[in-house]
């Protein structure tokens, strides 16, 4: 068996929270990975944008905007989008990990199908969830068997909403695209025959001649080649599906008894329609249907091959290996193991390598079993660094680099040291500290910086003034914080400053503006006589960034003042609030300053 190429994203940690596991699938948005959320201690899925798209401002904006839209969708039949972010060169979105099996897995490689009323019940669950999405103006666009999860107890959930669409789809897919996909999946659920996404005018009766006419038309209408003749959205199609479902059930009691048991059954799919025509015909298919032994085989197959033992093997020893190597060795077992990660202290294994596994090496594991790999976080006990005499901020940074994250502050009067100076530590400098226990810093008295994030700007300024602290205000776009609300602060809450010390606060100006339309680009080419107040004259008058600014930007302080209407490109320089900045990438309407994580401006220093 050919060994798969190593996944460069496997085992990396995003924002010190999400440890990526094996790749589940790829799509237009990027690669989708199973991951472990260290903060919430749960398994999630993470979609990571392709590296060649990360520097495309428009693609990044569309990716994060779509993720934000999906976060706002709430329905039991939709996988929840839990968050999004950018960590260096990785742009990602986090989605709920669904328990159960996909329809693709339930149907296997062909030859299995659902009874019509069960198939319709599954489809009704899909449409109910999609109706909520369509009502919010959101279209799935890539619905398939591997994007629908069933839990065996009647639960149907839709996942896998793409975060980017093909560049050819300028406006994105429309709701009738999802209707076509649902009609195609209904055809597959009832016939057991998989068809390509672009196939139209499907007829159940061509494979299952005994199909009721209304059921046959239900699939044909949804897959009509002309979108005008399909149901316009999930809600309209759901109404028709429910009508046909009621007509097929003998009574409400019969429906209630069957519609929560989506168990695959054997089908008599014609030979020419089977998914794997070149494979040998299994023995159970060659046995006549009326022979009792054949019927017994069908029952056993429908029950999940209950009498056939599962594949199993001894788990290899992966302690001390990298997460990538451990994943490769487990994948080589060909048992489709579900691998997830967590952290553990280790005195013998280097940080980032596998410290232990659950189950342990030598244990017998069966196909599809879950294996938890504990990744070393280094020793639990470490030496307290010498931070006495430095500032509290410097002490915090040194302790965090050593692995201590729980830091407590005790203020003490000192006639010799300036406020905010570290006087002593507990445990003492050079002693062994437990990384699970707090480190206490005894700091000379001063003013404790309060928590300002979430406060209105005027309230934050008033609070600092009441403590005798000065304030510096910078504005920055923020996706969730309302306009005028503090979205960040430096130094962090709890820091001790001398009286009249300065606290910098970042105030939200609301979400970043959308990417400019083509009309704006055309206006850049207009002559000064046609557009003498905006971007058209930025090269002549220095009113904005643009490429023209770079010609005379030897001294960054000679650059023009930042202008919110100007389009700046990578390398353009501006002045803003007494400092010089350089654009990291294409940007418009985003002021310099603020957090480094998302800031498109590079601080060049004070002017």
């Amino acid at each position: 068996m050919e060994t798969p190429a190593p996944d460069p994203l496997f085992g990396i940690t995003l924002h010190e929270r999400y440890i990526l596991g094996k790749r589940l699938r790829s799509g237009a948005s990027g690669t989708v990975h199973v991951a472990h959320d260290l903060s919430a201690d749960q398994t999630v899925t993470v979609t990571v944008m392709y590296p060649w798209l990360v520097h495309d401002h428009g693609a990044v904006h569309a990716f994060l905007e779509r993720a934000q839209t999906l976060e706002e969708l709430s329905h039991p039949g939709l996988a929840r989008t839990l968050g999004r972010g950018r960590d260096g060169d990785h742009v990602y979105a986090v989605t709920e990990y669904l328990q159960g099996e996909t329809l693709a897995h339930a149907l296997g490689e062909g030859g299995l199908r659902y009874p019509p009323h069960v198939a319709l019940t599954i489809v009704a669950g899909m449409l109910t969830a999609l109706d909520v999405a369509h009502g919010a103006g959101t279209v799935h666009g890539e619905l398939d068997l591997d994007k629908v999860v069933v839990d065996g107890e009647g639960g149907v959930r839709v996942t896998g909403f793409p975060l980017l669409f093909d560049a050819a789809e300028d406006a994105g897919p429309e709701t009738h695209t999802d209707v076509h996909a649902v009609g195609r999946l209904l055809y597959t659920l009832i016939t057991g025959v998989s068809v390509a996404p672009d196939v139209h005018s499907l007829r159940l009766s061509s494979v299952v001649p005994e199909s009721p006419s209304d059921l046959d038309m239900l699939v044909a209408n949804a897959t009509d080649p002309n979108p005008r003749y399909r149901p316009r959205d999930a809600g309209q199609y759901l109404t028709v599906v429910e009508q046909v479902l009621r007509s097929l059930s003998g009574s409400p009691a019969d429906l209630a008894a069957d519609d929560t048991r989506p168990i695959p059954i054997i089908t008599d799919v014609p030979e020419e329609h089977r998914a794997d025509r070149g494979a040998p015909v299994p023995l159970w298919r060659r046995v006549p249907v009326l022979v009792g032994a054949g019927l017994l085989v069908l029952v056993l197959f429908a029950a999940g091959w209950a009498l056939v033992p599962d594949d199993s093997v001894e788990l290899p020893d992966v302690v001390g290996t990298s997460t990538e190597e451990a994943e490769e060795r487990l994948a080589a077992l060909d048992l489709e193991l579900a691998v997830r990660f967590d952290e553990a202290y280790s005195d013998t294994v280097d940080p980032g390598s596998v410290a232990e596994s659950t189950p342990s090496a030598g244990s017998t594991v069966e196909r599809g079993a879950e294996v938890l790999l504990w990744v070393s976080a280094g020793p639990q006990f470490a030496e307290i660094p010498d931070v006495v005499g430095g500032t509290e901020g410097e002490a915090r940074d040194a302790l965090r680099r050593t692995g201590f994250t729980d830091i407590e502050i005790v203020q003490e009067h000192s006639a010799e040291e300036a406020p905010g100076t570290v006087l002593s530590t507990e445990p003492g400098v050079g002693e062994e500290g437990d990384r699970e226990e707090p480190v206490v810093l005894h700091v000379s008295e001063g003013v404790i910086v309060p928590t300002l994030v979430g406060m209105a700007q005027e309230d934050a300024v008033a609070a600092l003034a009441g403590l005798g602290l000065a304030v510096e205000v910078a504005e920055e776009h923020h996706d969730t914080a309302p306009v005028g609300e503090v979205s960040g602060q430096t130094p962090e809450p709890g820091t001790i400053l001398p009286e009249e010390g300065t606290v910098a606060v970042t105030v939200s100006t609301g979400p970043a503006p959308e990417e400019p339309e083509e009309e704006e680009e055309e206006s850049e080419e207009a002559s000064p006589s046609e557009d003498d107040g905006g971007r058209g004259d930025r090269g002549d008058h220095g009113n904005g960034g643009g490429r023209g600014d770079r010609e005379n930007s030897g001294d960054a302080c000679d650059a023009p003042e930042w202008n919110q209407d100007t389009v700046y490109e990578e390398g353009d320089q501006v002045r803003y609030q007494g400092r010089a900045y350089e654009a990291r990438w294409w940007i418009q309407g985003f002021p310099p300053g603020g957090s480094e994580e998302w800031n498109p401006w590079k601080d060049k220093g004070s002017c």
Side-chain angles (χ1 to χ4, degrees), residues 386-410:
D386 187 0
V387 295
V388 173
T391 66
E392 180 208 338
E394 294 169 343
R396 287 178 182 269
D397 290 341
L399 288 169
R400 285 168 179 161
R401 287 194 298 269
T402 312
F404 297 99
T405 57
D406 189 356
I407 302 170
E408 297 182 357
I409 305 296
V410 175

Side-chain angles (χ1 to χ4, degrees), residues 193-271:
V193 179
S194 296
V195 290
D198 57 352
V199 172
H200 296 297
S201 298
L202 296 171
R203 288 279 185 176
L204 289 174
S205 55
S206 64
V207 179
V208 186
E210 68 276 12
S211 298
S213 59
D214 52 355
L215 185 58
D216 197 30
M217 291 304 299
L218 193 64
V219 174
N221 289 343
T223 57
D224 193 288
N226 189 339
R228 295 178 55 191
Y229 301 125
R230 303 175 197 162
R232 65 174 180 271
D233 56 25
Q236 190 178 66
Y237 195 32
L238 175 62
T239 300
V240 185
V241 168
E242 289 176 336
Q243 291 174 351
V244 176
L245 183 57
R246 286 192 295 269
S247 70
L248 290 181
S249 60
S251 68
D254 294 338
L255 180 60
D258 292 335
D259 67 2
T260 58
R261 294 179 297 159
I263 303 174
I265 64 170
I266 295 303
T267 181
D268 286 330
V269 177
E271 186 70 26

Side-chain angles (χ1 to χ4, degrees), residues 76-156:
L78 295 173
R80 293 176 296 134
T81 299
L82 304 174
R84 65 202 184 283
R86 180 170 187 166
D87 187 356
D89 290 333
H90 302 300
V91 179
Y92 66 92
V94 184
T95 308
E96 177 184 13
Y97 181 82
L98 299 182
Q99 300 294 332
E101 63 177 354
T102 64
L103 291 178
H105 185 268
L107 293 178
E109 297 297 325
L112 294 178
R113 63 172 180 169
Y114 289 103
H117 60 280
V118 175
L120 284 171
T121 301
I122 294 174
V123 165
M126 296 161 50
L127 290 170
T128 300
L130 289 173
D131 185 32
V132 172
H134 289 179
T138 303
V139 180
H140 191 294
E142 292 185 3
L143 195 63
D144 214 333
L145 292 171
D146 61 351
K147 309 289 178 61
V148 182
V149 176
V150 292
D151 58 16
E153 298 180 356
V156 180

Side-chain angles (χ1 to χ4, degrees), residues 499-524:
E499 291 186 7
E500 299 183 357
T502 300
V503 178
V505 297
T506 303
V507 178
S508 171
T509 58
E514 295 185 1
E515 185 179 3
E517 303 292 338
E518 293 181 1
E519 290 78 3
E520 296 180 347
E521 296 177 0
E522 293 173 359
S523 68
E524 293 179 15

Side-chain angles (χ1 to χ4, degrees), residues 29 82-83 179 182 193 348 412 521 529 546 556 564 569:
S29 311
L82 304 174
V179 170
V182 174
V193 179
T348 57
E412 296 180 1
E521 296 177 0
S529 62
Q564 66 176 358
E569 298 184 9

Side-chain angles (χ1 to χ4, degrees), residues 302-587:
W305 296 93
L307 300 182
V308 179
D310 293 332
D311 294 337
S312 60
V313 71
E314 285 191 0
L315 192 70
D317 185 2
V318 295
V319 172
T321 64
S322 67
T323 53
E324 293 85 355
E325 182 180 350
E327 173 76 351
E328 291 177 9
R329 293 180 63 179
L330 295 178
L333 300 177
D334 199 24
L335 290 180
E336 300 179 356
L337 299 175
V339 181
R340 63 184 187 92
F341 301 87
D342 207 338
E343 284 191 332
Y345 294 114
S346 175
D347 295 329
T348 57
V349 178
D350 293 334
S353 298
V354 177
E356 59 179 307
S357 64
T358 304
S360 58
S363 302
T364 300
V365 292
E366 300 178 346
R367 179 174 298 277
E370 181 178 272
V371 177
L372 176 60
L373 297 181
W374 298 90
V375 181
S376 172
Q380 181 173 347
F381 295 90
E383 183 178 306
I384 302 295
D386 187 0
V387 295
V388 173
T391 66
E392 180 208 338
E394 294 169 343
R396 287 178 182 269
D397 290 341
L399 288 169
R400 285 168 179 161
R401 287 194 298 269
T402 312
F404 297 99
T405 57
D406 189 356
I407 302 170
E408 297 182 357
I409 305 296
V410 175
Q411 289 200 74
E412 296 180 1
H413 176 72
S414 173
E416 296 81 18
E417 301 292 347
T421 303
V422 178
L423 304 175
S424 62
T425 66
E426 295 178 23
V429 171
E431 296 180 0
E432 290 286 308
D434 187 343
R435 293 168 60 189
E436 286 293 309
E437 298 295 330
V439 175
V440 180
L441 295 180
H442 294 263
V443 181
S444 58
E445 288 180 331
V447 181
I448 300 177
V449 177
T451 299
L452 303 171
V453 175
M455 298 176 64
Q457 176 180 344
E458 56 272 20
D459 294 339
V461 172
L464 293 174
L467 294 171
L469 297 175
V471 60
E472 290 182 355
V473 178
E475 294 183 335
E476 182 180 281
H477 290 295
H478 197 281
D479 289 338
T480 58
V483 175
E485 183 178 283
V486 177
S487 58
Q489 69 178 90
T490 303
E492 62 187 277
T495 300
I496 297 175
L497 293 180
E499 291 186 7
E500 299 183 357
T502 300
V503 178
V505 297
T506 303
V507 178
S508 171
T509 58
E514 295 185 1
E515 185 179 3
E517 303 292 338
E518 293 181 1
E519 290 78 3
E520 296 180 347
E521 296 177 0
E522 293 173 359
S523 68
E524 293 179 15
E525 302 173 1
S527 65
S529 62
E530 295 173 325
D531 183 4
D532 57 0
R535 292 178 291 277
D537 65 353
R538 60 180 178 169
D540 295 332
H541 303 288
N543 192 33
R547 286 179 287 270
D549 292 327
R550 276 178 258 173
E551 297 175 1
N552 57 4
S553 59
D555 183 351
C557 289
D558 291 337
E561 285 286 345
W562 174 80
N563 187 304
Q564 66 176 358
D565 296 323
T566 301
V567 174
Y568 297 98
E569 298 184 9
E570 181 180 357
D572 288 349
Q573 296 182 343
V574 298
R575 286 181 291 112
Y576 184 71
Q577 295 185 348
R579 301 188 71 81
Y581 296 89
E582 181 179 292
R584 299 176 188 267
W585 57 76
W586 184 100
I587 191 66

